[in-house]
Amino acid sequence: QVQLVESGGGLVQPGGSLRLACAAPGHTFSSYTMGWFRQAPGKQREFVAAIRWSGGSTNYADSLKGRFTISRDNAKNTVYLQMNSLKPEDTAVYYCAARPYGSPSSAVSEYSYWGQGTQVTVSS
């Protein structure tokens, strides 16, 4: 069982930035492809970004390219999501997810492990 712990959410004004972090303590973090997803009230969970276990490739939701950046630090067992130029429609609970090896898939069903989520609210 892989435990994932997200942090970094909060309230930010439109146009602001946040950096989310997801830690996976005590596991072979470098063996897992990591993803970020989000879910707004009344909507389905949607893909945000993913990064291959080796860090060699990334995948982004088309609508978020250029504003969001995913990265990982295997030495710290942590994956990050840098979010810039935030908009009210980015308001959601953001979830970290992991799958053993594999491609940086956008499919919810491909990920075996999930964090509890962190709330991001973009509002003035």
Side-chain angles (χ1 to χ4, degrees), residues 99-115:
R99 62 184 298 223
Y101 296 108
S103 64
S105 172
S106 62
V108 171
S109 60
E110 295 285 349
Y111 291 82
S112 305
Y113 305 101
W114 293 83

Side-chain angles (χ1 to χ4, degrees), residues 27-45:
H27 293 284
T28 312
F29 180 75
S30 60
S31 301
Y32 290 87
T33 287
M34 303 298 296
W36 285 99
F37 294 77
R38 67 185 185 183
Q39 188 166 17
K43 295 188 177 181
Q44 289 190 329
R45 193 167 297 189

Side-chain angles (χ1 to χ4, degrees), residues 1-86:
Q1 189 76 8
V2 177
Q3 286 190 316
L4 303 174
V5 181
E6 300 103 333
S7 61
L11 174 64
V12 62
Q13 292 187 342
S17 298
L18 278 177
R19 189 176 79 155
L20 306 182
C22 172
H27 293 284
T28 312
F29 180 75
S30 60
S31 301
Y32 290 87
T33 287
M34 303 298 296
W36 285 99
F37 294 77
R38 67 185 185 183
Q39 188 166 17
K43 295 188 177 181
Q44 289 190 329
R45 193 167 297 189
E46 66 173 358
F47 172 71
V48 173
I51 186 166
R52 185 179 289 272
W53 57 274
S54 61
S57 66
T58 56
N59 185 19
Y60 292 93
D62 287 342
S63 62
L64 300 176
K65 285 180 181 177
R67 292 197 299 124
F68 287 18
T69 303
I70 190 171
S71 61
R72 66 189 298 158
D73 185 339
N74 286 346
K76 295 183 178 180
N77 284 8
T78 302
V79 62
Y80 303 97
L81 183 69
Q82 178 67 44
M83 305 185 294
N84 298 327
S85 302
L86 284 162

